[in-house]
Structure formats: C-alpha cells, structure tokens
C-alpha cells in the first residue's frame, strides 16, 4: 500500500491520506486490479481494506489528525453489511477510529446497477463513514448517481483539473461542479494537481481540498508530508 496526502489548503492542514494498492514491485493500482477476475475481486478488495487500515494504524495515521480514505470497487461488494464486517473487525483489532474513515467509490469500473451502488453508499453512511465519489466527471456514474445519492465528498477527476489554468472550458465546468456541490453541501477535492498554476486557478474557483504530485507523490508504506507547501 502507498499513501498520498489530500490537503485542506484553506486551513493549511492535512485532510486525509488516500490508500493506494501497489504491486510487490511497485506496480500501479491499475496493473494490480486488472489481474483480478470476477472470482477473486471480492477477496482482493477486502484484503486491500484490511491492509490499508492495519498499515495506517501502524504508521500512526490517526495521530496526524487526517482521515484514511479507502477505495472500493462496487461490483466487488455483494452485501454491504457483510462486506463491512471484516473492515469493522480490523479497525477494532488495530484500534483505528471508525469516524476517521472515508470510502471512495470509483466510477472507472462500469457500475452495472445504480440501485446496488446506492444501497452500498447508504449502508456506509448509516455506519457513520464518510462517502466519496471518485474520479467525478470520468467514467459512468456521474450526474445520474449524484442525483440519487449525495456523498459527503466529490473528487473531481484529474482530466478536468489538468492545465485548468489554460483551459477556459474546464474552468467553466469545474465552476459549475463547485456550485452544485456547495448547494448540496458536498465537499469537493480536486485531484491530480501538478503545478502551482493549476492550484491557483482552482483556488480562484473556490476549491479548498487538493491532491496531487504538486503536494506529494504517494509514499510506499509511508505517510508523506506536505511541509514544502506550507501544510502542517
Ligand atoms: O482513481 P484514483 O483517483 O483513486 O487514482 C489515483 C491514482 O492517481 C494513483 O495511482 C496516484 O498514483 C495517481 N496520481 C495521484 N496524483 C497524481 C498527479 O498529480 N498526477 C498524476 N499523473 N497521477 C496522480
Ligand atoms: Mn481514489
């Protein structure tokens, strides 16, 4: 597992660390996940969560004041309550506070059944976890999913933030996403920030939370700091 910071730029503090699965030789999440099939995807998804929470606890992540954000694959979740049992057991075994967990659902995988995803997100919320829609603007779930379920957090896809300082159309779209989110009381995180110019353009659009190489690359089995960017 690698961990990448998400910063609260307004408060000058770390907001969360996203746990990202890595191969034994540092292969990307995409490479690891594409080796799973319909039979073992559920077990892999479970194992990733267990590992993220165990490692987060052993790196004293809760002491940083940041949340731990875990990705999950909706098609790997059969029955959310049963699926969460192992997560809850792990958190309790290693002493990881449950109110410090965020679950991100990625739209990258075609969501076969919106009702199923809606059901999962509602169950996670009922358990007191924060919920996030990942890669918003890419993939399949987009506005239809948002109309059905309003998560705590929307993560705006890196494709939309890439060189946003030079792209008036992206600015218009992100401005609109920000307005919708504010009206729905949803926090937004801009993903994939690589340059000061992107950060500055997004700050002008009212964004507060950021993730990307500009702040820190994912740290393999470590919690990178963002002190170079003035983040405590
Ligand atoms: O789909 P999701 O947003 O969870 O994917 C996160 C992936 O994006 C991670 O594998 C991470 O290494 C990568 N990533 C994070 N920040 C940046 C960035 O600023 N630029 C690029 N190119 N990739 C990034
Ligand atoms: Mn993610």
């Amino acid at each position: 597992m690698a961990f990448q910071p998400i910063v609260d730029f307004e408060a000058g503090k770390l907001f969360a660390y996203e746990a990202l699965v890595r191969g034994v030789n540092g292969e990307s999440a995409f490479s690891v996940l594409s080796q799973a099939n319909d039979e073992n995807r559920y077990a892999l998804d479970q194992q990733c969560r267990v590992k993220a929470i165990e490692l987060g606890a052993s790196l004293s992540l809760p002491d940083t004041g940041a949340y731990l954000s875990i990705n999950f694959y909706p098609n790997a979740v059969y029955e959310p309550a049963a699926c969460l049992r192992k997560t809850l057991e792990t958190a309790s075994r290693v002493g990881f506070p449950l109110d410090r967990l965020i679950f991100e659902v990625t739209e990258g995988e075609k969501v076969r059944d919106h009702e199923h995803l809606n059901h999962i997100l509602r169950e996670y919320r009922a358990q007191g976890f924060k919920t996030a829609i990942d890669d918003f603007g890419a993939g399949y779930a987009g506005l239809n999913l948002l109309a059905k379920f309003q998560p705590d957090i929307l993560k705006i896809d890196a494709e939309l933030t890439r060189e946003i300082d030079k792209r008036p159309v992206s600015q218009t779209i992100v401005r609109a996403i920000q307005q919708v989110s504010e009206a729905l009381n949803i926090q937004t995180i801009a993903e994939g920030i690589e340059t000061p110019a992107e950060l500055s353009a997004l700050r002008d659009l009212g964004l507060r939370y950021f993730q990307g190489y500009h702040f820190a690359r994912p740290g393999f089995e470590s919690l990178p700091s963002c002190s170079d960017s003035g983040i405590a």
Side-chain angles (χ1 to χ4, degrees):
M1 280 284 159
F3 295 91
Q4 187 180 30
I6 299 170
V7 304
D8 176 348
F9 197 78
E10 220 158 278
K13 289 199 309 211
L14 281 168
F15 173 67
Y17 281 100
E18 179 176 2
L20 298 159
V21 65
R22 290 290 178 262
V24 284
N25 299 307
E27 296 91 335
S28 69
F30 180 79
S31 150
V32 174
L33 296 165
S34 58
Q35 291 172 50
N37 57 41
D38 286 350
E39 276 70 54
N40 58 25
R41 189 167 296 117
Y42 176 77
L44 177 64
D45 191 57
Q46 285 283 344
Q47 198 51 45
C48 288
R49 296 174 187 213
V50 167
K51 197 76 202 164
I53 294 170
E54 285 176 350
L55 199 53
S58 69
L59 294 168
S60 304
L61 193 158
D63 296 348
T64 67
Y67 288 90
L68 172 61
S69 199
I70 297 177
N71 292 279
F72 75 93
Y73 309 100
N75 295 345
V77 174
Y78 178 61
E79 175 44 53
C83 194
L84 275 174
R85 205 166 303 133
K86 183 120 187 164
T87 305
L88 298 171
E89 271 169 27
T90 306
S92 124
R93 172 167 52 80
V94 299
F96 201 102
L98 291 178
D99 61 359
R100 297 276 97 195
L101 290 177
I102 302 170
F103 283 95
E104 304 186 7
V105 63
T106 180
E107 302 180 56
E109 178 185 35
K110 181 157 171 50
V111 176
R112 290 171 205 146
D113 175 355
H114 271 180
E115 277 316 311
H116 177 56
L117 180 52
N118 199 0
H119 174 54
I120 300 170
L121 288 167
R122 284 179 198 285
E123 178 67 30
Y124 282 24
R125 171 166 287 164
Q127 297 277 349
F129 301 124
K130 269 191 193 288
T131 55
I133 295 180
D134 203 1
D135 304 321
F136 187 73
Y140 303 90
L143 292 166
N144 284 340
L145 177 60
L146 184 60
K148 289 207 182 83
F149 181 86
Q150 297 76 52
D152 299 289
I153 297 167
L154 271 190
K155 297 186 75 179
I156 301 173
D157 190 60
E159 198 83 29
L160 280 170
T161 62
R162 178 79 51 247
E163 299 198 315
I164 188 162
D165 49 298
K166 301 189 191 102
R167 297 186 179 168
V169 173
S170 297
Q171 289 166 21
T172 303
I173 294 169
V174 171
R175 183 183 293 114
I177 295 175
Q178 181 66 15
Q179 278 168 357
V180 168
S181 301
E182 277 174 20
L184 296 174
N185 210 9
I186 295 171
Q187 293 170 291
T188 51
I189 297 172
E191 301 188 296
I193 308 310
E194 294 186 349
T195 69
E198 289 167 349
L199 174 63
S200 161
L202 288 158
R203 290 292 294 147
D204 289 345
L205 294 173
L207 278 90
R208 169 171 181 172
Y209 300 95
F210 302 94
Q211 179 176 11
Y213 294 172
H214 171 68
F215 292 99
R217 288 180 178 256
F220 183 69
E221 304 204 341
S222 69
L223 300 178
S225 89
C226 301
S227 48
D228 293 351
S229 310
I231 305 294

